[in-house]
Amino acid sequence: MKSAGEPIPITQIERMNEYGSDDLFICCAGFEARCSTAASKLSPSYRTKYSIIFQIDDSFFNKEVEANRARLQAILSQHTVEGVYVINCNRDNPNDAIAQLKNIWNRVKPKDPEEPYITLDISGITKIYLLQLLYFIVAEQCLGLPRLVHTTQSYAATRLTRGVEQITTIPNFFGNMTIDKPNLLILMLGFEPERSLSVWKQFNASHTIALISNPPRDGNMYYVEYAKKNNASLLSQDNVELKDVPPDSPYGVRNVLEEIYQEYKDTHNFILGPFGTKPQTVGVFLFCLEHPKVQVIYSFPSSYTHSYLQREPGDTLLLPLTPPTGYVNTSSPTDDVNEEDSSFI
């Protein structure tokens, strides 16, 4: 039995508004097969006023991206009352995509900001896009967290990306670093060792905490073994500490980060690198809502491997975004927030 706060596998997505159409369904057409899985599970009675598809162009997988976009348009046209919008964007430029969203926002935004009905399918979206989109909806538009659904993939012990093209601080997540404190680097690790190792080398943190998904999804312990082996170079360093983090529980991730924060908040600057799962990235966002002084960094890969195309869609999960029963916020609401920062939350 699932405990409170854990993700829930779903076979059908119903509308949230019992009196009419939902406001907005947002998804992303990338090159992975799971891009359209959640949309295909929309209930026959599901209706939304508008749908938005982010089409993240990729020169290596253009055929797959176009096919997924066409499939999503076909599905969503059957459930959308007023219009389906496609936002074409570059994988490395989420700012442009958000700018395009802002251009149409007055048309598609919820009519009642006190009770918006927005579903966001995070399955096909990149982590940097996910953080930017959540920031726009929650922090800039003050609409609260949308309903989040996520389709997992079949497990494959292979590297997902090659090389590193650039390392950047994510816009709106610059944090507030002070020169009188050393840096604590927190890296969520997966199957992309070059991306996390490059960040570790660049930031030269006094201490690094590496987070690996454990217990793994579906109890597959080989995932943990392969993740450790894949990141052996980083984990072998003297100043690197290993901790566990849940793969699909945003609040579980937030709680792990909060425990680390309470231990180091008075002595270190915080730098986060989300290279694990997408639900973990949602947990990073939840944590940053409470602690806007934390910096979030990202490294763009040079290319993606074809192993993505061999992975089959798994369960579609509903991610719980309200604190579980018994949840206690151990942070002080004034710990990190000053007048300059207050717009973030």
Side-chain angles (χ1 to χ4, degrees), residues 75-288:
I75 294 171
L76 292 176
S77 64
Q78 302 174 38
H79 297 275
T80 306
V81 177
E82 300 191 35
V84 179
Y85 290 89
V86 177
I87 294 178
N88 287 286
C89 43
N90 184 280
R91 182 170 295 277
D92 298 344
N93 192 5
N95 285 344
D96 175 61
I98 298 300
Q100 292 184 58
L101 176 59
K102 289 179 179 179
N103 286 337
I104 63 171
W105 189 249
N106 282 336
R107 270 176 275 171
V108 304
K109 68 181 181 181
K111 295 296 185 278
D112 182 3
E114 298 298 319
E115 195 170 11
Y117 298 104
I118 301 174
T119 298
L120 172 58
D121 174 14
I122 69 173
S123 310
I125 198 165
T126 67
K127 298 177 186 75
I128 189 171
Y129 266 83
L130 176 57
L131 287 170
Q132 288 289 81
L133 187 55
L134 286 173
Y135 183 88
F136 173 75
I137 293 171
V138 178
E140 291 189 9
Q141 301 303 314
C142 301
L143 292 176
L145 290 161
R147 176 172 64 175
L148 296 187
V149 294
H150 174 60
T151 301
T152 64
Q153 293 187 116
S154 61
Y155 173 81
T158 56
R159 291 194 178 190
L160 303 179
T161 59
R162 297 189 185 94
V164 175
E165 192 164 293
Q166 65 169 309
I167 298 172
T168 185
T169 301
I170 298 179
N172 301 312
F173 295 86
F174 288 103
N176 188 357
M177 316 294 285
T178 60
I179 60 173
D180 59 333
K181 290 182 180 180
N183 293 335
L184 173 69
L185 180 62
I186 305 172
L187 296 172
M188 295 183 175
L189 305 182
F191 295 171
E192 301 174 274
E194 294 166 306
R195 297 176 70 185
S196 52
L197 187 61
S198 66
V199 168
W200 178 82
K201 289 179 177 178
Q202 174 161 315
F203 280 88
N204 192 30
S206 66
H207 189 62
T208 299
I209 298 178
L211 302 177
I212 286 184
S213 298
N214 189 28
R217 189 180 290 154
D218 299 326
N220 190 339
M221 288 306 298
Y222 186 58
Y223 174 99
V224 181
E225 296 169 13
Y226 183 75
K228 290 179 179 179
K229 179 181 177 181
N230 213 28
N231 293 280
S233 179
L234 173 62
L235 295 176
S236 66
Q237 304 301 319
D238 291 338
N239 64 342
V240 176
E241 175 185 358
L242 181 63
K243 287 182 177 288
D244 295 338
V245 68
D248 297 313
S249 172
Y251 259 98
V253 171
R254 177 263 168 214
N255 290 344
V256 170
L257 293 174
E258 183 64 35
E259 289 176 7
I260 297 171
Y261 180 80
Q262 292 302 322
E263 181 177 353
Y264 290 95
K265 66 178 180 178
D266 296 326
T267 57
H268 288 72
N269 294 312
F270 271 66
I271 304 172
L272 279 172
F275 302 111
T277 68
K278 291 168 187 177
Q280 287 172 351
T281 304
V282 177
V284 168
F285 180 78
L286 293 174
F287 176 72
C288 289

Side-chain angles (χ1 to χ4, degrees), residues 254-255 324 326-331:
R254 177 263 168 214
N255 290 344
Y327 167 82
V328 177
N329 186 349
T330 57
S331 66

